[in-house]
PDB file of all heavy atoms in Angstrom:
ATOM      1  N   VAL A   1      12.618 -17.021   0.539  1.00 97.00           N
ATOM      2  CA  VAL A   1      11.303 -17.013  -0.147  1.00 97.00           C
ATOM      3  C   VAL A   1      10.301 -16.428   0.813  1.00 97.00           C
ATOM      4  O   VAL A   1      10.268 -16.759   2.029  1.00 97.00           O
ATOM      5  CB  VAL A   1      10.915 -18.443  -0.548  1.00 97.00           C
ATOM      6  CG1 VAL A   1       9.493 -18.457  -1.089  1.00 97.00           C
ATOM      7  CG2 VAL A   1      11.883 -18.990  -1.598  1.00 97.00           C
ATOM      8  N   THR A   2       9.445 -15.534   0.316  1.00 97.00           N
ATOM      9  CA  THR A   2       8.431 -14.904   1.151  1.00 97.00           C
ATOM     10  C   THR A   2       7.071 -14.985   0.479  1.00 97.00           C
ATOM     11  O   THR A   2       6.978 -15.181  -0.746  1.00 97.00           O
ATOM     12  CB  THR A   2       8.764 -13.427   1.414  1.00 97.00           C
ATOM     13  OG1 THR A   2       8.865 -12.739   0.122  1.00 97.00           O
ATOM     14  CG2 THR A   2      10.102 -13.267   2.124  1.00 97.00           C
ATOM     15  N   ALA A   3       6.027 -14.835   1.245  1.00 98.00           N
ATOM     16  CA  ALA A   3       4.667 -14.857   0.698  1.00 98.00           C
ATOM     17  C   ALA A   3       3.712 -14.285   1.730  1.00 98.00           C
ATOM     18  O   ALA A   3       3.972 -14.277   2.944  1.00 98.00           O
ATOM     19  CB  ALA A   3       4.230 -16.290   0.316  1.00 98.00           C
ATOM     20  N   GLY A   4       2.583 -13.744   1.236  1.00 98.00           N
ATOM     21  CA  GLY A   4       1.566 -13.185   2.123  1.00 98.00           C
ATOM     22  C   GLY A   4       0.177 -13.621   1.681  1.00 98.00           C
ATOM     23  O   GLY A   4      -0.016 -14.076   0.541  1.00 98.00           O
ATOM     24  N   SER A   5      -0.780 -13.484   2.567  1.00 98.00           N
ATOM     25  CA  SER A   5      -2.162 -13.903   2.280  1.00 98.00           C
ATOM     26  C   SER A   5      -2.912 -12.968   1.344  1.00 98.00           C
ATOM     27  O   SER A   5      -3.957 -13.302   0.822  1.00 98.00           O
ATOM     28  CB  SER A   5      -2.924 -14.069   3.614  1.00 98.00           C
ATOM     29  OG  SER A   5      -2.917 -12.896   4.384  1.00 98.00           O
ATOM     30  N   THR A   6      -2.394 -11.769   1.133  1.00 98.00           N
ATOM     31  CA  THR A   6      -2.864 -10.857   0.093  1.00 98.00           C
ATOM     32  C   THR A   6      -1.648 -10.251  -0.588  1.00 98.00           C
ATOM     33  O   THR A   6      -0.529 -10.268  -0.012  1.00 98.00           O
ATOM     34  CB  THR A   6      -3.719  -9.701   0.707  1.00 98.00           C
ATOM     35  OG1 THR A   6      -2.868  -8.812   1.452  1.00 98.00           O
ATOM     36  CG2 THR A   6      -4.833 -10.272   1.588  1.00 98.00           C
ATOM     37  N   PRO A   7      -1.791  -9.682  -1.772  1.00 97.00           N
ATOM     38  CA  PRO A   7      -0.627  -9.047  -2.422  1.00 97.00           C
ATOM     39  C   PRO A   7       0.028  -7.980  -1.539  1.00 97.00           C
ATOM     40  O   PRO A   7       1.266  -7.898  -1.489  1.00 97.00           O
ATOM     41  CB  PRO A   7      -1.228  -8.462  -3.696  1.00 97.00           C
ATOM     42  CG  PRO A   7      -2.399  -9.319  -3.986  1.00 97.00           C
ATOM     43  CD  PRO A   7      -2.979  -9.697  -2.660  1.00 97.00           C
ATOM     44  N   GLU A   8      -0.766  -7.154  -0.868  1.00 98.00           N
ATOM     45  CA  GLU A   8      -0.205  -6.120  -0.036  1.00 98.00           C
ATOM     46  C   GLU A   8       0.574  -6.685   1.126  1.00 98.00           C
ATOM     47  O   GLU A   8       1.693  -6.249   1.439  1.00 98.00           O
ATOM     48  CB  GLU A   8      -1.346  -5.218   0.509  1.00 98.00           C
ATOM     49  CG  GLU A   8      -0.805  -4.088   1.399  1.00 98.00           C
ATOM     50  CD  GLU A   8      -1.931  -3.291   2.063  1.00 98.00           C
ATOM     51  OE1 GLU A   8      -3.118  -3.624   1.848  1.00 98.00           O
ATOM     52  OE2 GLU A   8      -1.610  -2.341   2.833  1.00 98.00           O
ATOM     53  N   ILE A   9       0.045  -7.722   1.771  1.00 98.00           N
ATOM     54  CA  ILE A   9       0.736  -8.381   2.903  1.00 98.00           C
ATOM     55  C   ILE A   9       1.972  -9.093   2.424  1.00 98.00           C
ATOM     56  O   ILE A   9       3.014  -9.082   3.123  1.00 98.00           O
ATOM     57  CB  ILE A   9      -0.225  -9.348   3.639  1.00 98.00           C
ATOM     58  CG1 ILE A   9      -1.407  -8.576   4.226  1.00 98.00           C
ATOM     59  CG2 ILE A   9       0.527 -10.099   4.735  1.00 98.00           C
ATOM     60  CD1 ILE A   9      -0.986  -7.465   5.192  1.00 98.00           C
ATOM     61  N   GLY A  10       1.916  -9.666   1.223  1.00 98.00           N
ATOM     62  CA  GLY A  10       3.109 -10.273   0.659  1.00 98.00           C
ATOM     63  C   GLY A  10       4.248  -9.274   0.556  1.00 98.00           C
ATOM     64  O   GLY A  10       5.421  -9.588   0.874  1.00 98.00           O
ATOM     65  N   ARG A  11       3.954  -8.077   0.089  1.00 98.00           N
ATOM     66  CA  ARG A  11       4.967  -7.025  -0.042  1.00 98.00           C
ATOM     67  C   ARG A  11       5.494  -6.625   1.354  1.00 98.00           C
ATOM     68  O   ARG A  11       6.695  -6.376   1.529  1.00 98.00           O
ATOM     69  CB  ARG A  11       4.408  -5.841  -0.781  1.00 98.00           C
ATOM     70  CG  ARG A  11       4.187  -6.106  -2.290  1.00 98.00           C
ATOM     71  CD  ARG A  11       3.873  -4.837  -3.032  1.00 98.00           C
ATOM     72  NE  ARG A  11       2.565  -4.279  -2.675  1.00 98.00           N
ATOM     73  CZ  ARG A  11       1.431  -4.609  -3.246  1.00 98.00           C
ATOM     74  NH1 ARG A  11       1.400  -5.496  -4.234  1.00 98.00           N
ATOM     75  NH2 ARG A  11       0.268  -4.067  -2.866  1.00 98.00           N
ATOM     76  N   LYS A  12       4.576  -6.553   2.329  1.00 98.00           N
ATOM     77  CA  LYS A  12       5.000  -6.211   3.694  1.00 98.00           C
ATOM     78  C   LYS A  12       5.959  -7.278   4.280  1.00 98.00           C
ATOM     79  O   LYS A  12       6.983  -6.938   4.901  1.00 98.00           O
ATOM     80  CB  LYS A  12       3.826  -6.029   4.587  1.00 98.00           C
ATOM     81  CG  LYS A  12       3.076  -4.703   4.431  1.00 98.00           C
ATOM     82  CD  LYS A  12       2.008  -4.533   5.503  1.00 98.00           C
ATOM     83  CE  LYS A  12       1.350  -3.165   5.390  1.00 98.00           C
ATOM     84  NZ  LYS A  12       0.360  -2.929   6.471  1.00 98.00           N
ATOM     85  N   VAL A  13       5.573  -8.531   4.116  1.00 98.00           N
ATOM     86  CA  VAL A  13       6.427  -9.646   4.610  1.00 98.00           C
ATOM     87  C   VAL A  13       7.767  -9.626   3.865  1.00 98.00           C
ATOM     88  O   VAL A  13       8.821  -9.751   4.494  1.00 98.00           O
ATOM     89  CB  VAL A  13       5.701 -11.012   4.397  1.00 98.00           C
ATOM     90  CG1 VAL A  13       6.641 -12.151   4.702  1.00 98.00           C
ATOM     91  CG2 VAL A  13       4.446 -11.059   5.230  1.00 98.00           C
ATOM     92  N   ASP A  14       7.712  -9.398   2.580  1.00 98.00           N
ATOM     93  CA  ASP A  14       8.924  -9.372   1.773  1.00 98.00           C
ATOM     94  C   ASP A  14       9.834  -8.231   2.207  1.00 98.00           C
ATOM     95  O   ASP A  14      11.057  -8.389   2.370  1.00 98.00           O
ATOM     96  CB  ASP A  14       8.617  -9.244   0.296  1.00 98.00           C
ATOM     97  CG  ASP A  14       9.813  -9.479  -0.610  1.00 98.00           C
ATOM     98  OD1 ASP A  14      10.322 -10.603  -0.622  1.00 98.00           O
ATOM     99  OD2 ASP A  14      10.202  -8.516  -1.326  1.00 98.00           O
ATOM    100  N   ASP A  15       9.268  -7.038   2.465  1.00 98.00           N
ATOM    101  CA  ASP A  15      10.039  -5.904   2.890  1.00 98.00           C
ATOM    102  C   ASP A  15      10.679  -6.131   4.291  1.00 98.00           C
ATOM    103  O   ASP A  15      11.796  -5.712   4.544  1.00 98.00           O
ATOM    104  CB  ASP A  15       9.157  -4.648   2.963  1.00 98.00           C
ATOM    105  CG  ASP A  15       8.809  -4.094   1.589  1.00 98.00           C
ATOM    106  OD1 ASP A  15       9.483  -4.483   0.590  1.00 98.00           O
ATOM    107  OD2 ASP A  15       7.832  -3.301   1.469  1.00 98.00           O
ATOM    108  N   LEU A  16       9.926  -6.819   5.136  1.00 98.00           N
ATOM    109  CA  LEU A  16      10.446  -7.125   6.490  1.00 98.00           C
ATOM    110  C   LEU A  16      11.729  -7.952   6.407  1.00 98.00           C
ATOM    111  O   LEU A  16      12.760  -7.617   6.986  1.00 98.00           O
ATOM    112  CB  LEU A  16       9.403  -7.845   7.316  1.00 98.00           C
ATOM    113  CG  LEU A  16       9.821  -8.222   8.732  1.00 98.00           C
ATOM    114  CD1 LEU A  16       9.985  -6.979   9.611  1.00 98.00           C
ATOM    115  CD2 LEU A  16       8.824  -9.207   9.390  1.00 98.00           C
ATOM    116  N   TYR A  17      11.655  -9.032   5.644  1.00 98.00           N
ATOM    117  CA  TYR A  17      12.811  -9.903   5.509  1.00 98.00           C
ATOM    118  C   TYR A  17      13.920  -9.244   4.700  1.00 98.00           C
ATOM    119  O   TYR A  17      15.128  -9.385   5.007  1.00 98.00           O
ATOM    120  CB  TYR A  17      12.443 -11.232   4.903  1.00 98.00           C
ATOM    121  CG  TYR A  17      11.771 -12.187   5.874  1.00 98.00           C
ATOM    122  CD1 TYR A  17      10.380 -12.274   5.946  1.00 98.00           C
ATOM    123  CD2 TYR A  17      12.537 -12.987   6.720  1.00 98.00           C
ATOM    124  CE1 TYR A  17       9.764 -13.128   6.851  1.00 98.00           C
ATOM    125  CE2 TYR A  17      11.913 -13.839   7.645  1.00 98.00           C
ATOM    126  CZ  TYR A  17      10.533 -13.913   7.682  1.00 98.00           C
ATOM    127  OH  TYR A  17       9.923 -14.770   8.574  1.00 98.00           O
ATOM    128  N   LYS A  18      13.547  -8.501   3.689  1.00 97.00           N
ATOM    129  CA  LYS A  18      14.539  -7.848   2.822  1.00 97.00           C
ATOM    130  C   LYS A  18      15.367  -6.853   3.642  1.00 97.00           C
ATOM    131  O   LYS A  18      16.539  -6.578   3.278  1.00 97.00           O
ATOM    132  CB  LYS A  18      13.817  -7.120   1.693  1.00 97.00           C
ATOM    133  CG  LYS A  18      14.735  -6.688   0.538  1.00 97.00           C
ATOM    134  CD  LYS A  18      13.919  -5.974  -0.569  1.00 97.00           C
ATOM    135  CE  LYS A  18      12.995  -6.924  -1.237  1.00 97.00           C
ATOM    136  NZ  LYS A  18      12.236  -6.271  -2.329  1.00 97.00           N
ATOM    137  N   SER A  19      14.820  -6.314   4.711  1.00 97.00           N
ATOM    138  CA  SER A  19      15.536  -5.321   5.508  1.00 97.00           C
ATOM    139  C   SER A  19      16.710  -5.917   6.297  1.00 97.00           C
ATOM    140  O   SER A  19      17.586  -5.151   6.744  1.00 97.00           O
ATOM    141  CB  SER A  19      14.578  -4.625   6.474  1.00 97.00           C
ATOM    142  OG  SER A  19      14.111  -5.537   7.512  1.00 97.00           O
ATOM    143  N   VAL A  20      16.762  -7.260   6.445  1.00 97.00           N
ATOM    144  CA  VAL A  20      17.868  -7.876   7.211  1.00 97.00           C
ATOM    145  C   VAL A  20      18.566  -8.978   6.433  1.00 97.00           C
ATOM    146  O   VAL A  20      19.681  -9.363   6.834  1.00 97.00           O
ATOM    147  CB  VAL A  20      17.351  -8.427   8.559  1.00 97.00           C
ATOM    148  CG1 VAL A  20      16.889  -7.309   9.493  1.00 97.00           C
ATOM    149  CG2 VAL A  20      16.239  -9.486   8.354  1.00 97.00           C
ATOM    150  N   ILE A  21      17.957  -9.519   5.388  1.00 97.00           N
ATOM    151  CA  ILE A  21      18.568 -10.621   4.637  1.00 97.00           C
ATOM    152  C   ILE A  21      19.487 -10.058   3.555  1.00 97.00           C
ATOM    153  O   ILE A  21      18.993  -9.478   2.575  1.00 97.00           O
ATOM    154  CB  ILE A  21      17.493 -11.519   4.012  1.00 97.00           C
ATOM    155  CG1 ILE A  21      16.603 -12.130   5.072  1.00 97.00           C
ATOM    156  CG2 ILE A  21      18.161 -12.644   3.205  1.00 97.00           C
ATOM    157  CD1 ILE A  21      17.211 -13.070   6.008  1.00 97.00           C
ATOM    158  N   ILE A  22      20.771 -10.218   3.692  1.00 96.00           N
ATOM    159  CA  ILE A  22      21.753  -9.687   2.766  1.00 96.00           C
ATOM    160  C   ILE A  22      21.595 -10.302   1.388  1.00 96.00           C
ATOM    161  O   ILE A  22      21.713  -9.607   0.348  1.00 96.00           O
ATOM    162  CB  ILE A  22      23.193  -9.938   3.287  1.00 96.00           C
ATOM    163  CG1 ILE A  22      23.395  -9.233   4.628  1.00 96.00           C
ATOM    164  CG2 ILE A  22      24.205  -9.460   2.260  1.00 96.00           C
ATOM    165  CD1 ILE A  22      24.690  -9.629   5.295  1.00 96.00           C
ATOM    166  N   ALA A  23      21.279 -11.616   1.343  1.00 95.00           N
ATOM    167  CA  ALA A  23      21.185 -12.337   0.080  1.00 95.00           C
ATOM    168  C   ALA A  23      19.963 -11.956  -0.718  1.00 95.00           C
ATOM    169  O   ALA A  23      19.851 -12.310  -1.924  1.00 95.00           O
ATOM    170  CB  ALA A  23      21.208 -13.835   0.325  1.00 95.00           C
ATOM    171  N   GLY A  24      19.014 -11.251  -0.101  1.00 96.00           N
ATOM    172  CA  GLY A  24      17.830 -10.856  -0.829  1.00 96.00           C
ATOM    173  C   GLY A  24      16.655 -11.798  -0.611  1.00 96.00           C
ATOM    174  O   GLY A  24      16.741 -12.757   0.174  1.00 96.00           O
ATOM    175  N   THR A  25      15.553 -11.509  -1.311  1.00 97.00           N
ATOM    176  CA  THR A  25      14.323 -12.286  -1.118  1.00 97.00           C
ATOM    177  C   THR A  25      13.683 -12.615  -2.468  1.00 97.00           C
ATOM    178  O   THR A  25      14.008 -11.995  -3.494  1.00 97.00           O
ATOM    179  CB  THR A  25      13.306 -11.525  -0.304  1.00 97.00           C
ATOM    180  OG1 THR A  25      12.997 -10.273  -0.960  1.00 97.00           O
ATOM    181  CG2 THR A  25      13.811 -11.236   1.096  1.00 97.00           C
TER     182      THR A  25
END
């Protein structure tokens, strides 16, 4: 599960974890 303080930051945080988490986000 991911989240950010703004929609844009949420996508950045999500992309960061998505780049290494095989199971997805």
